[in-house]
Amino acid sequence: METWYYQVVSIDGDYANLKRTDVETGDIKLVARALLPPEIAEGSRLKYEWMQYELME
């Protein structure tokens, strides 16, 4: 399975806007906060692997 890296661009209520950082793309992905670690904030870096998001240090 692939591993993808994201950065939280913004948080809007129950959703977060994520931008991929491991490839060049202008796309923003809208993700329900229920699927993300509860301690995320704008600027947080995430790893997506095996259908789970993990907060990176």
Side-chain angles (χ1 to χ4, degrees):
M1 184 147 256
E2 292 186 52
T3 302
W4 298 339
Y5 296 92
Y6 293 94
Q7 183 169 14
V8 178
V9 176
S10 64
I11 297 173
D12 185 20
D14 291 336
Y15 295 91
N17 293 300
L18 307 181
K19 180 171 177 23
R20 226 167 134 187
T21 59
D22 57 325
V23 295
E24 289 294 324
T25 180
D27 295 339
I28 300 292
K29 182 176 183 176
L30 184 65
V31 178
R33 289 189 62 192
L35 300 174
L36 302 172
E39 59 273 6
I40 66 162
E42 289 184 9
S44 294
R45 294 181 312 135
L46 302 168
K47 177 173 77 169
Y48 179 76
E49 186 174 47
W50 293 102
M51 298 179 65
Q52 287 187 330
Y53 291 93
E54 178 182 331
L55 188 62
M56 297 178 55
E57 308 250 342

